[in-house]
Amino acid sequence: GEAVSGSPFGPWVLNPRPIILPGPQGSWDDQVLAPDVHLQGRLPRMWFLGVSAGSHCAIGYAESTPG
């Protein structure tokens, strides 16, 4: 998820909209685990572990423009 604040000490406001949704049941990313987000300039880049119900794993990558 995402939370924003005007100060590093809060108060923090949680954005209820998920940042990334899992894929359909049975897909390689039907579970999204261990997200790791890094900023490159203002571009957020996220790597995550995608796991299927059959215990297959893959590393996923996502990026988004800010906002």
Side-chain angles (χ1 to χ4, degrees):
E2 173 191 42
V4 295
S5 173
S7 162
F9 304 105
W12 292 90
V13 177
L14 181 63
N15 180 347
R17 191 180 76 206
I19 298 298
I20 190 167
L21 295 171
Q25 187 174 7
S27 67
W28 71 273
D29 64 346
D30 69 3
Q31 293 182 59
V32 174
L33 306 172
D36 189 19
V37 179
H38 297 268
L39 288 176
Q40 184 173 16
R42 289 186 41 86
L43 180 67
R45 296 175 182 236
M46 182 178 86
W47 288 263
F48 60 94
L49 179 62
V51 181
S52 72
S55 298
H56 293 84
C57 306
I59 295 175
Y61 170 77
E63 64 182 39
S64 174
T65 56

